[in-house]
């Protein structure tokens, strides 16, 4: 005879026995209550205990839980962001003309001051072009008196022609001159008018020549100025300047200068909290190195990022010793109006049958209640929640095994720690 079927039958029989015959004891054991002893060796007071329990049937079904006397505390509802540091000013200096570098390079990390020469280029024929432009300007200025004299001469000839024409017309009316003389006077007057117009055109041409020469001089001077690339502000070289003897073309990089004595911390705030961030609000940032820095909010974007629907926030931080570097990650906390909230263990949170986040509490009649809460902040030693009354007995152990209305026997963590 095989033993396995026999053992299986015995185990099934024992299971049916406990489920049917000892069902109450099994349920009491599952609830953590002491099993009722009915053997003949029971103590003399067992019958009195059983009789007392029949008068309080509800106490048999109360479930043991651990609760916490929670008191609302003042909570700094700071806006928490993740961001990074950024240089307050950064510029890539590039060549605006083509030439060869004739200055020794400066190495990255060097402190530079406004006006320092970073790259100097070979001038080539540019000084000669400037001299030529200046000579043309002088020539244009010299042509101005000639053009003005020609205009004066033309005006004088016009006045003379007008007088002769007037005289010829009067003589013609009296019959003292011929039609031929009158026609000649009219022709002379028209010729004088044309001469005046021509002289005016010459004068305008002379003025245009001066303007053109001035522009040529300015262009030649600007081309020479482009040969020297200067630092626009005090800062640090983030890259080596262009190497001696290298050919640079328009747009080629000479050097990169950054300013760090004042630095910005950039973060992006969700649209649900952007109204809590105000200009001038105090802010604190914890860098990846563990250093804490403080500053004020100097910019809040009015336009959301189209991809993330967040708003850019800038915090200006003093950095006189240049200890804060560009591009460091930072955890940012921006001060906002405070409120009261409860700090609870993370395990206290649970969900009701509708999937709503909240906590279960012990009510005055020793039954379970459920209160929805809003999670404000998650910290290493607990969570801050809003939505609870000023005082609440929050179940922190066993809350997932009870529902609203269930009778419980709470033991309080506060009292146990004392």
């Amino acid at each position: 005879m095989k033993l396995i079927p026999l053992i299986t039958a015995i185990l099934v029989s024992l299971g049916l026995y406990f489920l049917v015959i000892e069902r109450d004891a099994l349920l009491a054991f599952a609830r953590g209550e002491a099993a009722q002893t009915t053997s003949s060796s029971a103590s003399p007071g067992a019958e009195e205990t059983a009789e007392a329990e029949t008068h309080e049937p509800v106490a048999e079904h109360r479930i043991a839980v651990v609760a916490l006397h929670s008191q609302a505390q003042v909570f700094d509802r700071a806006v928490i962001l993740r961001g990074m540091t950024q240089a307050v000013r950064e510029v890539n200096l590039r060549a605006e003309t083509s030439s060869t570098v004739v200055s020794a390079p400066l190495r990255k990390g060097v402190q530079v001051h406004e006006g320092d020469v970073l790259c100097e280029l070979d001038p080539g024929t540019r000084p000669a072009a400037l001299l030529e432009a200046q000579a043309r300007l002088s020539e244009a200025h010299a042509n101005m008196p000639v053009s003005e004299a020609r205009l004066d001469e033309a005006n004088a000839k016009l006045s003379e022609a007008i007088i002769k024409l007037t005289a010829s017309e009067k003589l013609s009316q009296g019959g003292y001159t011929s039609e031929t003389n009158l026609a000649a006077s009219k022709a002379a007057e028209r010729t004088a008018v044309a001469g005046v117009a021509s002289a005016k055109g010459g004068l305008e041409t002379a003025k245009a020549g001066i303007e053109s020469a001035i522009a040529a001089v300015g262009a030649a001077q600007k081309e020479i100025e482009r040969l020297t690339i200067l630092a626009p502000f005090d800062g640090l070289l983030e890259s080596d300047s262009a190497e001696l003897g290298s050919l640079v073309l328009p747009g080629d990089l000479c050097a990169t200068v950054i300013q760090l004595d004042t630095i910005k911390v950039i973060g992006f705030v969700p649209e649900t909290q952007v109204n809590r961030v105000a200009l001038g609000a105090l802010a604190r940032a914890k860098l990846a190195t563990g250093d804490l820095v403080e500053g004020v909010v100097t910019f809040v974007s009015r336009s959301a990022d189209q991809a993330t629907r967040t708003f850019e926030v800038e915090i200006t931080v003093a950095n006189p010793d240049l200890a804060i570097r560009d591009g460091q990650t930072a955890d940012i906390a921006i001060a906002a109006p405070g409120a009261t909230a409860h700090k609870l263990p993370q395990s206290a949170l649970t969900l009701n049958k509708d999937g709503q986040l909240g906590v279960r509490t012990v009510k005055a009649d020793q039954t379970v209640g459920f209160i929805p809460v809003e999670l404000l902040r998650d910290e290493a030693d607990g969570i801050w929640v809003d939505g609870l009354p000023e005082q609440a007995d929050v179940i922190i152990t066993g809350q997932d095994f009870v529902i609203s209305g269930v009778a419980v026997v709470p033991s309080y963590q506060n009292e146990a720690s004392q």
Side-chain angles (χ1 to χ4, degrees):
M1 183 177 179
K2 296 182 178 180
L3 294 178
I4 294 178
L6 179 61
I7 295 173
T8 302
I10 294 173
L11 292 176
V12 170
S13 300
L14 289 174
L16 292 174
Y17 171 77
F18 281 106
L19 287 175
V20 178
I21 305 302
E22 299 292 337
R23 180 172 177 272
D24 294 339
L26 185 62
L27 291 176
F29 176 77
R31 290 193 298 266
E33 299 175 356
Q36 300 296 324
T37 58
T38 56
S39 61
S40 57
S41 59
S43 60
E47 295 181 359
E48 296 179 0
T49 303
E51 183 179 356
E53 290 177 349
T54 58
H55 291 290
E56 297 181 5
V58 177
E60 295 181 0
H61 304 291
R62 291 185 181 272
I63 300 176
V65 294
V66 178
L68 175 71
H69 290 304
S70 181
Q71 177 72 36
Q73 307 175 45
V74 176
F75 170 66
D76 178 16
R77 300 188 65 175
V79 178
I80 306 299
L81 307 176
R82 183 80 170 168
M84 61 180 295
T85 58
Q86 186 179 95
V88 69
R89 300 170 77 181
E90 178 176 355
V91 63
N92 294 320
L93 299 170
R94 301 183 181 275
E96 298 181 80
T97 187
S98 301
S99 191
T100 304
V101 179
V102 295
S103 60
L106 298 176
R107 297 307 176 189
K108 54 188 174 183
V110 174
Q111 178 78 37
V112 296
H113 301 282
E114 182 180 353
D116 288 353
V117 177
L118 302 181
C119 295
E120 188 172 356
L121 307 182
D122 183 16
T125 61
R126 292 174 179 84
L130 175 60
L131 291 176
E132 181 181 0
Q134 290 173 340
R136 289 179 179 176
L137 177 61
S138 299
E139 182 182 359
H141 280 297
N143 289 332
M144 276 295 295
V146 177
S147 298
E148 291 173 348
R150 287 176 180 173
L151 178 59
D152 292 340
E153 181 183 1
N155 286 326
K157 290 181 177 180
L158 177 59
S159 298
E160 181 182 0
I162 292 174
I163 293 172
K164 289 182 178 180
L165 176 60
T166 302
S168 296
E169 288 176 345
K170 290 181 179 180
L171 291 173
S172 175
Q173 291 174 359
Y176 298 106
T177 186
S178 64
E179 291 294 331
T180 303
N181 291 335
L182 178 61
S185 297
K186 289 182 178 180
E189 188 268 342
R190 286 195 292 269
T191 301
V193 170
V196 170
S198 177
K200 288 182 177 179
L203 182 60
E204 293 298 328
T205 301
K207 291 180 179 179
I210 292 176
E211 297 295 333
S212 177
I214 292 174
V217 170
Q221 290 175 340
K222 186 65 177 179
E223 187 68 14
I224 292 178
E225 290 175 2
R226 290 171 176 168
L227 298 174
T228 306
I229 302 176
L230 306 177
F233 50 81
D234 295 348
L236 294 173
L237 276 185
E238 189 64 13
S239 64
D240 292 342
S241 60
E243 187 60 54
L244 174 66
S246 61
L247 175 65
V248 294
L249 302 175
D252 287 351
L253 182 66
C254 165
T256 300
V257 182
I258 61 174
Q259 184 179 6
L260 296 176
D261 53 357
T262 299
I263 201 164
K264 296 184 294 186
V265 183
I266 308 297
F268 292 87
V269 60
E271 56 185 338
T272 56
Q273 301 188 57
V274 67
N275 289 336
R276 298 178 55 210
V277 179
L279 290 176
L282 297 178
R284 177 178 296 177
K286 183 177 182 181
L287 306 180
T289 58
D291 296 331
L292 291 175
V293 296
E294 294 183 350
V296 295
V297 177
T298 54
F299 172 76
V300 180
S301 174
R302 292 288 179 176
S303 177
D305 183 273
Q306 295 299 318
T308 61
R309 308 307 303 170
T310 56
F311 294 82
E312 182 179 356
V313 176
E314 287 186 5
I315 300 163
T316 302
V317 177
N319 188 29
D321 55 356
L322 308 183
I324 307 173
R325 302 174 184 270
D326 180 30
Q328 289 183 273
T329 57
D331 293 320
I332 307 168
I334 302 175
T340 58
H342 288 256
K343 189 173 186 180
L344 304 173
Q346 296 179 351
S347 59
L349 291 179
T350 187
L351 299 174
N352 64 3
K353 63 180 181 179
D354 298 324
Q356 191 174 18
L357 182 68
V359 295
R360 290 194 169 91
T361 61
V362 179
K363 298 195 293 186
D365 59 355
Q366 301 294 291
T367 60
V368 177
F370 180 85
I371 301 178
V373 297
E374 176 188 358
L375 181 60
L376 300 178
R377 187 186 302 171
D378 187 357
E379 298 180 349
D381 57 345
I383 54 173
W384 290 90
V385 298
D386 188 20
L388 294 175
E390 190 70 19
Q391 295 179 342
D393 295 338
V394 181
I395 300 176
I396 59 175
T397 301
Q399 71 274 17
D400 292 326
F401 301 101
V402 294
I403 59 175
S404 297
V406 173
V408 292
V409 180
S411 58
Y412 291 95
Q413 186 183 65
N414 313 62
E415 298 172 356
S417 61
Q418 294 175 356

